[in-house]
Amino acid sequence: MSFQAPKGTFDWMPPRSEWALIVRDALSAPARRAGYGYIETPAFEDTGLFARGVGESTDIVTKEMYTFQSKGGQSLTLRPEGTASVVRAVLEHGLYGGALPIKLWYSGSYFRYEKAQAGRYRHFSQVGAEALGAEDPALDAELIVLASDGYASLGLKNVRLLINSLGCKECRPAYRAALQDFLRGLDLDEATRQRIEINPLRILDDKRPEVQAQLVDAPLVTDHLCGACKAYHEEVRSLLTGAGLTYSDDPRLVRGLDYYTRTTFEFIHDGLGAQSAVGGGGRYDGLSEMIGGPALPSVGWALGVDRTVLAMEAEGLLTERPGQVEVFAVPLGEEARRRIFSLVAELRRDGIAVDMAFGGRGVKGAMKAADRSGARFALILGERDIEAGAVQVKDLTTGEQTAVPLAGVVDVLKGKLS
Ligand code: AMP
């Protein structure tokens, strides 16, 4: 019997898997440089946390959660997103009593029972950052700049930024009511009509052309913002411009989670087809209270690792083969194998990436392995070299080969590789 990875999941295999590591590192680096500390939370949580935190009316909660019962009878859910867990951890550890904002970043696996397609998986990976406990447009702008810098550091050129404001608890209800009035007059299917009453903003996000066609004259949230929200949004926009970012205003950008207030944003890559969002986030001033905490105005984002790798591929940025060794050692004979084994260990301790031929396949097989490894140099050790106290260093690009005294080979290689 043979097994396959479950539907909607896939294995990251070398050398492509190296890009996932590079992307995780690059997307988190700007946040780490900006004082965000690393947080790791469990991959599953009490189901109620997501039901209340993400929102009972969202697709995530109604259709996409991997929920199971623990042996103790508790309902648990594999995390579909990171923010609710981070807020839960901050509340549980009482961090809101200390210095604010609390800045945290994370990276990990997320699970959603989605219709699997290119760029949309049931198990995927995100890097996230959250700043909790401050209501300051500079914090919203900081996070957006950090994400943008992360994409840029990977060489991505075609990531577009969309921004919007969803208003606050003062102005959103009036907008919601105006939108509901408008939507009730449209020709919509029953499920969508029900959604008008529960989560009307999400209908703006409906991708179906027959729905979109009717939404042309829908009232826009930006026309209903209160003075405070307007000023806040203007300040975020001008800070972004000041930091050199370009963006488009998208008054229809609502995002799929219930907890957003004021600033929302999304990073889009046009080389990805239907699943074009490579990251997104926003302000969620009410989330802490929704899950039983004190008022804790906060803002954050989550960037998709899988889709960022796809975006890099679409821009032709995956040409290098990362993760290759620099040196490949080839022993000719038993004694050479013993000697080279300790030499390889020494080189590795000195920070050089080295592999060696295993399995005693003879010179030809070993040299083929050296070529395939992508190493720049082969170290070849034969009986005559041992007698002479030397090792052959072969430049695998030029084919040039020189004998180097065994005692000096570490320094010689370091010099050549630097
Ligand atoms: P969201 O929490 O839905 O805003 O997701 C943030 C980012 O995670 C998105 O912009 C995507 O890049 C990525 N993402 C979300 N869902 C998936 C999925 N099912 N498969 C792959 N990437 C995803």
Side-chain angles (χ1 to χ4, degrees), residues 8 10 60 64 80-83 106 110-127 151 255-257 259-260 265-268 272 275-281 301-308 310:
F10 66 93
I60 292 182
E64 297 174 359
E81 58 97 52
T83 305
Y106 52 90
Y110 297 85
F111 310 86
R112 293 182 195 171
Y113 194 82
E114 303 222 52
K115 240 189 235 141
Q117 63 183 90
R120 194 207 255 168
Y121 312 109
R122 291 178 176 175
H123 168 254
F124 57 97
S125 179
Q126 290 181 336
V127 169
Y151 293 124
R255 300 184 39 76
L257 296 80
Y259 51 58
Y260 288 107
F265 51 91
E266 210 151 75
F267 291 93
I268 303 290
L272 298 184
Q275 304 305 314
S276 61
V278 287
W301 47 240
L303 314 180
V305 172
D306 314 78
R307 284 190 204 165
T308 302
L310 292 173

